[in-house]
Amino acid sequence: MIRLHKLNVLVLIMAMVATLFSVAAAQATPKAGGILRVAITGDPPGLDSTVTTSAITAEINNHITEMLYAFDGDGIVRPMLAAALPDISADGLTYTIRLRAGVMFHDGSLLDSGDVKASLERWHRLSYGKTVLKNLVAIDTPDALTVVIRLSAPVGILTSALGFDNYASGIYTSEQLAGAGDDPIAVPIGTGPYRLKEWIRGQSVVLERFSEYSARSEEPSGDAGRKNAWLDEIHFISVPDAATRQAGLESGEYDVNYRAAGEDYEYIESSSKMWPWMPPVGYNYTLLLNFNSPLIQNLKLRQAIQATLDMDAIALGAFGNEALYDLNPGVLPPGFGGMYTDAGKALYDQRNPELGRKLLEESGYDGTPIRWITTRDFSYQYAGTLIAVDQLEKIGLKSEVIVRDWATTVETRSKPDAWEIFVGNQISGPEPEMIAIINPGWVNAYNGSPEFADLMAELRVTADPAKRAELWAQAQEAYYEDVGSVRVSDTFLLVAYSAKVHVQARYIAFQAWNTWLE
Amino acid sequence: MASEIASVAAPRRRAGLRRLLSRRIAVVGGVLIVVITLVGLAAPLLTPYDPNGLQISNRLKPPSGAHPFGTDNFGRDVWARTVFGTRLSLVVGLSTALITAVLGTFLALLAGVYRFLGELIMRVMDGLMALPATLLAIAIMAAVGPRVENMVVALSLVYLPRSTRVARAAVLVVREQIFVEAAIALGAGNRGIMRRHILPGVLSPVIVQATYVFATAVLLEASLSFLGVGAPPEVPSWGIMLSEGRLLMRNAPWMTVFPGTLLALTVLSVNMLGDGLRDALDPKTKRG
Amino acid sequence: MVAYLLRRLVSLLSILVVVGLVVFFLVRLVPGDPTSALLGENATAEQIGALRTRLGLDRSLLAQFGAWMESVARGDLGTSIYMRIPVVTAVIQRIEPTGMLALAATLVAVLLGVSLGVIAAIRHNTAVDYAVMVIAMLGLSLPTFWLGLLMIMLFAVTLQWLPAAGYVSILQEPVASLRYLLMPALALGFSQAAIIARMTRASVLDTLGEDYVRTAHSKGLAAARVVIGHALRNAILPIVTVIGLSIATLAGGVVVTETVFNIPGAGRLVIDSVLRRDYPVIQGSVLLVAFVYAFVNLLVDLSYAFFDPRVRYQ
C-alpha cells in the first residue's frame, strides 16, 4: 500500500478542488503586475542548470529556460517544448520528438530542431546526459520541428530525464551554445515566461516578464501545463541568514522566504500575515555510508546501526516540526510518479536497540570510533548527526564527530579513508536512475551487493513501467538487506509566503509563474 | 559647572573615598568573576544533567522546576549547558588576554628600546593586523579544526597586534617624557630605563587593553560560532548556544536569554574589574 | 619627516608582500576547493575532476603562486572563480555599503563615546558616572549579532519603523539609504562607542589629574575652557589610537553586521569567498584591505605628531 502523508492528501484535495471549481475560486481573481521579492539562501553559483546540480540555480533557471518535457504535480511526465510525448520505436532505440511551432526565444528567434540538437548534445557532453545517453548513436534533425534520438541500446527513463531539472537539459539557442562551448552560459536565453533582466552578483537576480511567451493550453500542474506570467518582475534576493529572511518577510521587505525554519511552521500557519507551502517532493534524508571504510564494510555493523535508530527522533530534531518530514521506507517519494514501494519496510525505522546491541556484538566491533563528518552550515545535518550518534552510543558504538564548514566536509567526503558516516539530504526524484547515491558516477555512490547491482543494470535498460516497478521493488528490498544507506525520512522544504501572494498551481520546485500579488 | 570643578580639583579629603569607590568597582567586578569562575568549576555539582545529554521527546520545553532554564532544540538542559559553558568562555578569554598582554608588552618594550628591531616588530604586527580579524580567525579555525587550543591560538593572533600597538603608543609617550630623556642623559642602561621608567607607565593601558581583549575574545568566540566555525560539539559554549537559539528566538527565547545574559554579565564584570584596576593602578590616583 | 614617510611607504610594500604570501598559503591550507560550491551536491567525480583541471587547481602550489604573483605585479588581481567577474570589479561593487556602514558606525561610536566618556570623567565617582559607564560597558558586552537581531525584532518586525534588512545606495535614494543604515550603524557603533567612552574617560581623568591643568585652573581660566581646552586636547592621542584600532575591529564587526542586516558589503564578500574557496577573491580583497589598514595605521601614527608635539619622528 502506498502511504500518502498528509501533504499529498492535501495536494490531491487541492487538485480536485482546483479542477472542479477552478473558475469559482471566488475570492481570488488573478491580477497582473507587481514585483515579487523572494529571499533566497545565497548568490547562485551560476544560472546555467546544465552544468551544476545547485538547487538555487535550477529553481531560477526554470523561469528562464524550458525543457522538452516537464513533471506535473503527480510526477507524471508531460510535454513542454515538445508537442507531445515521443514516438518510441518498438525496439526502444529510436525516439522521435515533434516540437511545438512558433515558440519564441527571449532574443526573438524561433525554436527549431537545431537548437534542441545543440542543447542535448551539450547536455550529453557535460551533464546528466552523459549517463542517460550513454548509448547515444546520433541526434538527427529531419526537419525544423522534428528531432530524432537514435540509441544503440534501450534507455529506461529517457523521456523523464529530458524533464528532470537537476543537471537539466534546458533548451538554449544554438548561437549562444556555440559561443559558450563547455563554459557555463552566463546570460541564459531561453523560451521561459521570464527572462533575465539583471544579475547583481552577491545581491539579486532580477527576472522580467517575457511578453512573447508561448504558453501551453493545459491546466497548470507542477512544472507542466500553462504558465501565466502575472508578475512584472521577480527579484531573487540573496539573504543567507535564516533569521533575517524570516524577519524580512514579516516586516514586508520580502514577499517570500524561500527556505523557512521548521520551528516556525506553526507560527507561519497561524499568522494572518503569512502562509506556508511545502512542495510534496523534497529530499531523501539519509545516513550516507562510506563503503571504502573497513568498519562500514562489516555488514553486521551496518545492520546494528539500521536496527537501532529511531528515525522519528532524528527527523524531528533535524527539521523541527512533524509537518516537514514523512517516515516511509521508500527511497523514491510516495505520490510522485509510479515507482514508490515499501519493499524492505521491516528493516526500516526498527527502533530496536537490543537487536542493535546484539548485532554489534556479532560484528566483532573493537571500539574504533566511527567518524561522522558534518557541518553547522546546514543545521539539519548537524542535528541529525548528534542525535544518531547519541542513540548509537547507547548500544556501545563509539563516535567521533568532525564538524567543519561545508566546503571542507564535501572534500573530506570525497576522500575514501577519512570518514564513515555523513548525514544529509540526498536528492529525490521520480525514477531510481535519478537518485545520485545509488547510481555509479557520483562521488560516494553505493555500488551495491551483486544482486542490487544486477537489478539496477536491468532497470537502466527497461522502459516498460510495470516491469520497472517490479525490478525496483526487488532492488529496494536488496538495498535494505545490504544496508546500502540508512534512510531516515522524506523531508520537505518550507516556503513562507506573505498573505498578499497567491499561487494558482501547487508546484514541486520553487516557481513564481502562476503567482500573483494582491 | 561648579561641581565639576570641585571634583576636577579633587580636594584631599575626598581622595580616600574615591580610592575606596574605585576599589569597590574592582571588588564588585572581581567578586562577580570569582563567582562565575566558581560556577564554572562547580558545574557538575550544580546540575544533575549531562550538558550534552540529548532527549528529543523533551525538546524546546520552557523553564520549569525540572529544567529551570528550559530545554533546547535537542532536549538538552539549558541550565546545565549554561553553567558548563562558563568554562569555555573563561578559558578562552583569560588565555587570550594573558598571552596577548604579556607578549604584546614584551614586543612593545623591545620596539621602544631597540629602534631597528622595533621597526621590524611593528611591521610584522601591521602585517598581521592588516589581515581582517574575523577572516584570519575563520581561516585558521577551518584549517586546523575546531579545538579549544586552536581557538585560543587563533584569537591570540588576532589580538596580539592590537595589544602591541596600545602598549607601543604608551611607550612612545612615556619615552619622550622629560624624565626618561633625563635618565638617558644621566647614562642609565636600557634595561634599567625599561624597568624603572617605561614599564610602570605602560602597565595601566596594557591592563585596560587586556580586560578589553578578555571581553572581546569571549564575544568573538560567539561571533565565530555565529559564522559557523565555533567550539567542538562536545564542549558546551555560550556562543554556540546563542547561534543555535538565534533561529528560535520567537519559539524558545530561553535558549538565548540565559546564556546571553550570563555572557553579558561575564563581559561586564571583566570590564568593571578592568576599570577599577585602572583607577587603582594609576600612580596619579594614588598620589592624589 | 620626509625620510620617515618614505621609509613607511617602503615598509607598506613589504607588508603587502608578506600578507600576499600568508594569505595565499593560508587559504590553500584550508581543506576543500571551489568545485563543491560551483557544481552542487550531486556532481559526479568525473565532472569535479574536469572542473579542477579547467580552473588550474591541479597544478602545483608553487606554480599557482608564481602565476598569481606575476599577474598581481601586472596590476591584475585575477577573476573570481565563483562569480566569473574580475576581483577588482567584485570588490568595487561592495565598497560603498561597507564604507557607508563603517563611516556611520564610527560616527555613532565617536559621538556617543566621546560625550559619554567626558560626562563620566567630569562626574567622576558619582551615580551619573556609574550609570554612563554601565551603559557604555553594556554595549561592549553584548554580541553584535544578538543586539542586531533584537533590534530587528523590535524596530522592524514589531514596530515596523525601519526596514529589517538590506541596503540602498546613498547615491540613488539618500533618504531610504539612511533608513536602511540606521539600525546596523547603531548596532555596530554601540560596541565601538563603549571602547571610546572608556578610553576618553580614562584619558580625561589622567589629564585632569595633571599639575598643569590645576595650574591652568588656579590661574582662573573658565571651567569649560579648562576641561575642553586642556583635558580633551591631551586626551585626544589615546582616543585617536583607539579610533584607529576601532577601524580594525570594525572590519570584524562589519562582517557579522553585514550578515545579520543582509548588507552586500566587502566583509560578506570575503566570508562568502572563504566558504566557497574562491581563492582569487580572498587573495585580492585581502591584499586591498591590507593596503587600506596599513595606510590607516600610517595616518594614525602621523596624527600622533599632529596632536601631541612631544612625539617626534626620526
Side-chain angles (χ1 to χ4, degrees), chain A residues 43-45 51-53 126 130 167 183-184 201 238-240 244 250-251 253 405 408 411 441-442, chain C residues 32 38-47 54 82-84 94 160 163-165 180 260 262 277:
Chain A
D43 200 31
V51 298
T52 177
T53 63
L126 300 177
K130 194 169 236 163
Y167 264 160
D183 285 327
R201 292 296 325 223
S238 167
V239 190
T244 308
E250 288 171 41
S251 74
E253 281 301 298
D405 77 346
T408 306
E411 168 148 320
W442 192 57
Chain C
L38 280 172
L39 294 177
E41 167 77 329
N42 294 293
T44 59
E46 192 185 344
Q47 269 142 346
R54 221 151 51 83
Y82 190 83
M83 299 185 287
R84 294 167 201 283
R94 307 298 194 92
Q160 307 228 328
Y180 277 92
V260 172
N262 205 48
R277 308 292 189 266

CSV table of all heavy atoms in Angstrom, one decimal, chain A residues 43-45 51-53 126 130 167 183-184 201 238-240 244 250-251 253 405 408 411 441-442, chain C residues 32 38-47 54 82-84 94 160 163-165 180 260 262 277:
chain,number,residue,atom,x,y,z
A,43,ASP,N,23.8,33.7,-3.1
A,43,ASP,CA,24.1,34.0,-4.5
A,43,ASP,C,24.2,32.7,-5.3
A,43,ASP,O,25.0,31.9,-4.9
A,43,ASP,CB,25.4,34.8,-4.6
A,43,ASP,CG,25.5,35.6,-5.9
A,43,ASP,OD1,24.5,35.9,-6.5
A,43,ASP,OD2,26.7,35.8,-6.4
A,44,PRO,N,23.5,32.4,-6.3
A,44,PRO,CA,23.6,31.2,-7.0
A,44,PRO,C,25.0,31.1,-7.7
A,44,PRO,O,25.6,32.1,-8.1
A,44,PRO,CB,22.5,31.2,-8.1
A,44,PRO,CG,22.1,32.6,-8.2
A,44,PRO,CD,22.4,33.3,-6.9
A,45,PRO,N,25.5,29.8,-7.9
A,45,PRO,CA,26.8,29.7,-8.5
A,45,PRO,C,26.8,30.0,-10.0
A,45,PRO,O,27.9,30.2,-10.6
A,45,PRO,CB,27.2,28.2,-8.3
A,45,PRO,CG,25.9,27.5,-8.0
A,45,PRO,CD,25.0,28.6,-7.4
A,51,VAL,N,25.1,22.7,-16.1
A,51,VAL,CA,26.5,22.4,-15.6
A,51,VAL,C,26.6,22.3,-14.1
A,51,VAL,O,27.7,22.2,-13.6
A,51,VAL,CB,27.5,23.4,-16.2
A,51,VAL,CG1,27.5,23.3,-17.7
A,51,VAL,CG2,27.2,24.8,-15.7
A,52,THR,N,25.5,22.5,-13.3
A,52,THR,CA,25.6,22.4,-11.9
A,52,THR,C,24.4,21.7,-11.3
A,52,THR,O,23.3,21.6,-12.0
A,52,THR,CB,25.7,23.8,-11.2
A,52,THR,OG1,25.8,23.6,-9.8
A,52,THR,CG2,24.5,24.7,-11.6
A,53,THR,N,24.5,21.1,-10.1
A,53,THR,CA,23.4,20.4,-9.5
A,53,THR,C,22.8,21.3,-8.4
A,53,THR,O,22.0,20.9,-7.6
A,53,THR,CB,23.7,19.1,-8.9
A,53,THR,OG1,24.7,19.3,-7.9
A,53,THR,CG2,24.3,18.2,-9.9
A,126,LEU,N,28.3,17.3,-21.1
A,126,LEU,CA,28.8,17.9,-19.9
A,126,LEU,C,27.9,17.5,-18.7
A,126,LEU,O,28.3,17.9,-17.5
A,126,LEU,CB,28.6,19.5,-20.0
A,126,LEU,CG,29.5,20.1,-21.1
A,126,LEU,CD1,29.1,21.6,-21.0
A,126,LEU,CD2,30.9,19.9,-20.8
A,130,LYS,N,25.3,12.5,-20.0
A,130,LYS,CA,26.4,11.6,-20.1
A,130,LYS,C,26.0,10.2,-19.7
A,130,LYS,O,26.4,9.2,-20.3
A,130,LYS,CB,27.6,12.1,-19.3
A,130,LYS,CG,28.9,11.4,-19.6
A,130,LYS,CD,30.0,12.2,-19.0
A,130,LYS,CE,31.0,12.6,-20.0
A,130,LYS,NZ,31.9,13.6,-19.6
A,167,TYR,N,20.8,18.9,-13.1
A,167,TYR,CA,21.7,18.7,-14.3
A,167,TYR,C,20.7,18.8,-15.5
A,167,TYR,O,20.7,17.8,-16.3
A,167,TYR,CB,22.4,17.4,-14.2
A,167,TYR,CG,23.8,17.5,-13.7
A,167,TYR,CD1,24.5,16.3,-13.2
A,167,TYR,CD2,24.5,18.7,-13.7
A,167,TYR,CE1,25.8,16.4,-12.7
A,167,TYR,CE2,25.8,18.7,-13.2
A,167,TYR,CZ,26.5,17.6,-12.7
A,167,TYR,OH,27.7,17.6,-12.3
A,183,ASP,N,32.0,26.1,-21.4
A,183,ASP,CA,31.8,27.0,-20.2
A,183,ASP,C,30.3,27.2,-19.9
A,183,ASP,O,29.5,27.0,-20.7
A,183,ASP,CB,32.4,28.4,-20.5
A,183,ASP,CG,33.9,28.4,-20.5
A,183,ASP,OD1,34.5,27.6,-19.7
A,183,ASP,OD2,34.5,29.1,-21.3
A,184,PRO,N,30.0,27.5,-18.6
A,184,PRO,CA,28.6,27.8,-18.3
A,184,PRO,C,28.1,29.0,-19.1
A,184,PRO,O,28.9,29.9,-19.4
A,184,PRO,CB,28.7,28.1,-16.8
A,184,PRO,CG,30.0,27.7,-16.3
A,184,PRO,CD,30.9,27.7,-17.5
A,201,ARG,N,25.8,40.5,-8.8
A,201,ARG,CA,26.5,39.3,-8.1
A,201,ARG,C,26.5,39.6,-6.6
A,201,ARG,O,26.8,40.7,-6.2
A,201,ARG,CB,27.9,39.1,-8.6
A,201,ARG,CG,28.0,38.6,-10.0
A,201,ARG,CD,27.5,37.2,-10.4
A,201,ARG,NE,27.5,36.2,-9.4
A,201,ARG,CZ,27.8,34.9,-9.6
A,201,ARG,NH1,28.2,34.6,-10.8
A,201,ARG,NH2,27.8,34.1,-8.7
A,238,SER,N,19.5,37.6,-2.4
A,238,SER,CA,20.3,36.7,-1.6
A,238,SER,C,20.3,37.1,-0.1
A,238,SER,O,20.8,38.2,0.2
A,238,SER,CB,21.8,36.8,-2.2
A,238,SER,OG,22.7,36.2,-1.4
A,239,VAL,N,19.8,36.3,0.7
A,239,VAL,CA,19.7,36.6,2.2
A,239,VAL,C,20.2,35.3,2.9
A,239,VAL,O,19.4,34.5,3.3
A,239,VAL,CB,18.3,37.0,2.6
A,239,VAL,CG1,18.3,37.5,4.1
A,239,VAL,CG2,17.7,38.0,1.7
A,240,PRO,N,21.5,35.2,3.1
A,240,PRO,CA,22.0,33.9,3.7
A,240,PRO,C,21.5,33.6,5.1
A,240,PRO,O,21.4,32.4,5.5
A,240,PRO,CB,23.5,34.1,3.7
A,240,PRO,CG,23.8,35.2,2.7
A,240,PRO,CD,22.6,36.1,2.8
A,244,THR,N,17.2,36.4,9.5
A,244,THR,CA,17.0,37.7,8.7
A,244,THR,C,16.0,37.5,7.6
A,244,THR,O,15.1,38.3,7.4
A,244,THR,CB,18.3,38.2,8.1
A,244,THR,OG1,19.3,38.2,9.2
A,244,THR,CG2,18.2,39.5,7.5
A,250,GLU,N,8.4,39.1,7.6
A,250,GLU,CA,7.4,39.7,8.5
A,250,GLU,C,7.3,41.2,8.5
A,250,GLU,O,6.3,41.8,8.7
A,250,GLU,CB,7.6,39.2,9.9
A,250,GLU,CG,7.3,37.7,10.1
A,250,GLU,CD,7.8,37.1,11.4
A,250,GLU,OE1,7.6,37.8,12.4
A,250,GLU,OE2,8.3,36.0,11.4
A,251,SER,N,8.5,41.8,8.2
A,251,SER,CA,8.4,43.3,8.2
A,251,SER,C,8.1,43.8,6.8
A,251,SER,O,8.0,45.0,6.6
A,251,SER,CB,9.8,43.8,8.6
A,251,SER,OG,10.7,43.6,7.5
A,253,GLU,N,9.8,43.4,3.9
A,253,GLU,CA,11.0,43.6,3.0
A,253,GLU,C,10.9,42.6,1.9
A,253,GLU,O,11.3,42.9,0.7
A,253,GLU,CB,12.3,43.4,3.7
A,253,GLU,CG,12.7,44.5,4.5
A,253,GLU,CD,12.9,45.8,3.7
A,253,GLU,OE1,13.7,45.8,2.8
A,253,GLU,OE2,12.2,46.7,3.9
A,405,ASP,N,33.4,23.4,8.0
A,405,ASP,CA,32.5,24.1,7.1
A,405,ASP,C,32.1,23.2,5.9
A,405,ASP,O,32.7,22.2,5.7
A,405,ASP,CB,33.0,25.5,6.7
A,405,ASP,CG,34.1,25.4,5.7
A,405,ASP,OD1,34.6,24.3,5.4
A,405,ASP,OD2,34.4,26.5,5.1
A,408,THR,N,34.8,22.1,3.3
A,408,THR,CA,35.7,21.1,3.8
A,408,THR,C,35.0,19.7,3.9
A,408,THR,O,35.6,18.7,3.6
A,408,THR,CB,36.2,21.5,5.2
A,408,THR,OG1,36.8,22.8,5.1
A,408,THR,CG2,37.2,20.5,5.8
A,411,GLU,N,34.9,18.0,0.6
A,411,GLU,CA,36.2,17.5,0.2
A,411,GLU,C,36.5,16.2,1.1
A,411,GLU,O,37.0,15.2,0.5
A,411,GLU,CB,37.3,18.5,0.4
A,411,GLU,CG,38.7,17.8,0.3
A,411,GLU,CD,39.7,18.7,-0.3
A,411,GLU,OE1,39.4,19.4,-1.2
A,411,GLU,OE2,40.9,18.7,0.2
A,441,GLY,N,29.1,6.9,-10.7
A,441,GLY,CA,29.4,8.2,-11.2
A,441,GLY,C,29.5,9.2,-10.1
A,441,GLY,O,30.4,10.0,-10.0
A,442,TRP,N,28.5,9.1,-9.2
A,442,TRP,CA,28.5,10.1,-8.1
A,442,TRP,C,29.7,9.7,-7.1
A,442,TRP,O,30.0,8.6,-7.0
A,442,TRP,CB,27.2,10.1,-7.4
A,442,TRP,CG,27.1,11.3,-6.4
A,442,TRP,CD1,27.2,12.6,-6.8
A,442,TRP,CD2,26.9,11.2,-5.0
A,442,TRP,NE1,27.0,13.4,-5.6
A,442,TRP,CE2,26.8,12.6,-4.6
A,442,TRP,CE3,26.7,10.2,-4.1
A,442,TRP,CZ2,26.6,12.9,-3.2
A,442,TRP,CZ3,26.5,10.5,-2.8
A,442,TRP,CH2,26.5,11.8,-2.3
C,32,GLY,N,39.2,21.6,1.1
C,32,GLY,CA,38.1,22.0,0.3
C,32,GLY,C,38.5,22.8,-0.9
C,32,GLY,O,39.6,23.4,-0.9
C,38,LEU,N,30.5,25.3,-6.8
C,38,LEU,CA,30.1,25.5,-8.2
C,38,LEU,C,29.2,24.4,-8.8
C,38,LEU,O,28.3,24.7,-9.5
C,38,LEU,CB,31.3,25.6,-9.1
C,38,LEU,CG,32.1,26.9,-9.1
C,38,LEU,CD1,33.4,26.8,-9.8
C,38,LEU,CD2,31.2,28.0,-9.7
C,39,LEU,N,29.5,23.2,-8.4
C,39,LEU,CA,28.8,22.0,-9.0
C,39,LEU,C,27.6,21.5,-8.2
C,39,LEU,O,26.8,20.7,-8.8
C,39,LEU,CB,29.8,20.9,-9.3
C,39,LEU,CG,30.9,21.2,-10.3
C,39,LEU,CD1,31.9,20.1,-10.5
C,39,LEU,CD2,30.3,21.6,-11.7
C,40,GLY,N,27.5,21.9,-7.0
C,40,GLY,CA,26.4,21.4,-6.2
C,40,GLY,C,26.6,20.0,-5.6
C,40,GLY,O,27.6,19.4,-5.9
C,41,GLU,N,25.6,19.6,-4.9
C,41,GLU,CA,25.6,18.4,-4.1
C,41,GLU,C,25.8,17.1,-4.9
C,41,GLU,O,26.4,16.2,-4.5
C,41,GLU,CB,24.3,18.4,-3.3
C,41,GLU,CG,24.0,17.1,-2.6
C,41,GLU,CD,24.8,16.9,-1.3
C,41,GLU,OE1,26.0,17.3,-1.3
C,41,GLU,OE2,24.4,16.3,-0.4
C,42,ASN,N,25.2,17.0,-6.1
C,42,ASN,CA,25.1,15.8,-6.8
C,42,ASN,C,26.1,15.6,-8.0
C,42,ASN,O,25.9,14.8,-8.9
C,42,ASN,CB,23.7,15.5,-7.2
C,42,ASN,CG,22.8,15.4,-6.1
C,42,ASN,OD1,22.9,14.4,-5.3
C,42,ASN,ND2,21.9,16.3,-5.8
C,43,ALA,N,27.1,16.4,-8.0
C,43,ALA,CA,28.1,16.4,-9.0
C,43,ALA,C,28.8,15.0,-9.1
C,43,ALA,O,29.0,14.4,-8.1
C,43,ALA,CB,29.1,17.5,-8.9
C,44,THR,N,29.2,14.6,-10.3
C,44,THR,CA,29.9,13.3,-10.4
C,44,THR,C,31.4,13.6,-10.3
C,44,THR,O,31.9,14.7,-10.5
C,44,THR,CB,29.6,12.7,-11.8
C,44,THR,OG1,30.1,13.6,-12.8
C,44,THR,CG2,28.2,12.4,-12.0
C,45,ALA,N,32.1,12.5,-9.9
C,45,ALA,CA,33.6,12.6,-9.7
C,45,ALA,C,34.3,13.1,-10.9
C,45,ALA,O,35.2,14.0,-10.9
C,45,ALA,CB,34.1,11.3,-9.3
C,46,GLU,N,33.8,12.6,-12.1
C,46,GLU,CA,34.4,13.0,-13.3
C,46,GLU,C,34.3,14.5,-13.6
C,46,GLU,O,35.2,15.2,-14.0
C,46,GLU,CB,33.7,12.2,-14.4
C,46,GLU,CG,34.3,12.2,-15.8
C,46,GLU,CD,33.4,11.5,-16.8
C,46,GLU,OE1,32.5,10.8,-16.4
C,46,GLU,OE2,33.7,11.7,-18.0
C,47,GLN,N,33.0,15.0,-13.3
C,47,GLN,CA,32.8,16.5,-13.6
C,47,GLN,C,33.7,17.3,-12.6
C,47,GLN,O,34.2,18.4,-13.0
C,47,GLN,CB,31.4,16.8,-13.4
C,47,GLN,CG,30.6,16.7,-14.7
C,47,GLN,CD,29.2,16.1,-14.5
C,47,GLN,OE1,28.9,15.6,-13.5
C,47,GLN,NE2,28.4,16.3,-15.6
C,54,ARG,N,40.2,22.5,-15.4
C,54,ARG,CA,39.9,23.8,-16.2
C,54,ARG,C,40.3,25.0,-15.3
C,54,ARG,O,40.8,26.0,-15.9
C,54,ARG,CB,38.4,23.8,-16.5
C,54,ARG,CG,38.1,24.3,-17.9
C,54,ARG,CD,36.8,23.8,-18.4
C,54,ARG,NE,35.7,23.9,-17.5
C,54,ARG,CZ,35.0,25.0,-17.4
C,54,ARG,NH1,35.3,26.1,-18.1
C,54,ARG,NH2,34.0,25.1,-16.5
C,82,TYR,N,34.0,31.8,-8.7
C,82,TYR,CA,32.6,31.6,-8.5
C,82,TYR,C,31.7,32.6,-9.3
C,82,TYR,O,30.7,32.2,-9.9
C,82,TYR,CB,32.3,31.8,-7.0
C,82,TYR,CG,30.9,31.3,-6.6
C,82,TYR,CD1,30.6,30.0,-6.3
C,82,TYR,CD2,29.8,32.3,-6.4
C,82,TYR,CE1,29.3,29.6,-5.9
C,82,TYR,CE2,28.6,31.9,-6.0
C,82,TYR,CZ,28.3,30.5,-5.8
C,82,TYR,OH,27.1,30.1,-5.4
C,83,MET,N,32.1,33.8,-9.3
C,83,MET,CA,31.3,34.9,-9.9
C,83,MET,C,31.6,35.2,-11.3
C,83,MET,O,30.9,35.9,-12.0
C,83,MET,CB,31.3,36.1,-9.0
C,83,MET,CG,30.8,35.9,-7.6
C,83,MET,SD,30.7,37.4,-6.7
C,83,MET,CE,32.4,37.7,-6.4
C,84,ARG,N,32.8,34.8,-11.7
C,84,ARG,CA,33.3,35.0,-13.1
C,84,ARG,C,33.3,36.5,-13.5
C,84,ARG,O,33.0,36.9,-14.6
C,84,ARG,CB,32.4,34.3,-14.1
C,84,ARG,CG,32.5,32.8,-14.0
C,84,ARG,CD,31.5,32.1,-14.8
C,84,ARG,NE,31.3,30.7,-14.3
C,84,ARG,CZ,32.1,29.7,-14.6
C,84,ARG,NH1,33.2,29.9,-15.3
C,84,ARG,NH2,31.9,28.5,-14.0
C,94,ARG,N,31.3,46.2,-3.8
C,94,ARG,CA,31.0,46.0,-2.4
C,94,ARG,C,31.5,47.1,-1.5
C,94,ARG,O,31.3,47.1,-0.3
C,94,ARG,CB,31.5,44.7,-1.9
C,94,ARG,CG,31.1,43.5,-2.8
C,94,ARG,CD,29.6,43.3,-2.8
C,94,ARG,NE,29.3,42.0,-3.3
C,94,ARG,CZ,29.1,40.9,-2.5
C,94,ARG,NH1,29.3,41.0,-1.2
C,94,ARG,NH2,28.8,39.8,-3.1
C,160,GLN,N,7.7,48.1,13.1
C,160,GLN,CA,7.7,48.4,11.7
C,160,GLN,C,8.1,49.8,11.4
C,160,GLN,O,7.6,50.5,10.4
C,160,GLN,CB,6.3,48.1,11.0
C,160,GLN,CG,5.8,46.7,11.3
C,160,GLN,CD,5.3,45.9,10.1
C,160,GLN,OE1,4.8,46.5,9.2
C,160,GLN,NE2,5.5,44.6,10.1
C,163,PRO,N,13.3,49.3,8.0
C,163,PRO,CA,13.4,48.1,7.2
C,163,PRO,C,14.3,47.1,8.0
C,163,PRO,O,15.2,47.4,8.6
C,163,PRO,CB,14.0,48.5,5.9
C,163,PRO,CG,14.6,49.8,6.1
C,163,PRO,CD,13.9,50.5,7.3
C,164,ALA,N,13.9,45.8,7.8
C,164,ALA,CA,14.6,44.7,8.6
C,164,ALA,C,16.0,44.5,8.1
C,164,ALA,O,16.9,44.3,8.9
C,164,ALA,CB,13.8,43.4,8.5
C,165,ALA,N,16.2,44.6,6.8
C,165,ALA,CA,17.5,44.2,6.2
C,165,ALA,C,17.6,44.8,4.8
C,165,ALA,O,16.6,45.1,4.2
C,165,ALA,CB,17.6,42.7,6.2
C,180,TYR,N,17.9,52.5,6.0
C,180,TYR,CA,18.5,51.2,6.0
C,180,TYR,C,19.7,51.1,6.9
C,180,TYR,O,20.0,50.1,7.5
C,180,TYR,CB,18.8,50.7,4.6
C,180,TYR,CG,17.6,50.1,3.8
C,180,TYR,CD1,16.8,50.9,3.0
C,180,TYR,CD2,17.3,48.8,3.9
C,180,TYR,CE1,15.8,50.4,2.3
C,180,TYR,CE2,16.3,48.2,3.2
C,180,TYR,CZ,15.5,49.1,2.4
C,180,TYR,OH,14.4,48.5,1.7
C,260,VAL,N,23.9,39.9,9.5
C,260,VAL,CA,22.6,40.0,10.2
C,260,VAL,C,21.7,40.9,9.4
C,260,VAL,O,20.5,40.6,9.2
C,260,VAL,CB,22.8,40.5,11.6
C,260,VAL,CG1,21.5,40.8,12.2
C,260,VAL,CG2,23.6,39.5,12.4
C,262,ASN,N,21.9,41.8,6.2
C,262,ASN,CA,21.9,41.4,4.8
C,262,ASN,C,22.4,42.6,4.0
C,262,ASN,O,21.7,43.0,3.0
C,262,ASN,CB,20.6,41.0,4.3
C,262,ASN,CG,20.7,40.1,3.1
C,262,ASN,OD1,21.5,39.2,3.1
C,262,ASN,ND2,20.0,40.4,2.1
C,277,ARG,N,35.6,29.0,-1.2
C,277,ARG,CA,37.0,28.7,-1.6
C,277,ARG,C,37.3,29.4,-2.9
C,277,ARG,O,37.9,28.9,-3.8
C,277,ARG,CB,37.3,27.2,-1.7
C,277,ARG,CG,37.0,26.4,-0.5
C,277,ARG,CD,37.9,26.7,0.7
C,277,ARG,NE,37.7,25.7,1.7
C,277,ARG,CZ,36.8,25.9,2.7
C,277,ARG,NH1,36.1,27.0,2.8
C,277,ARG,NH2,36.7,25.0,3.7
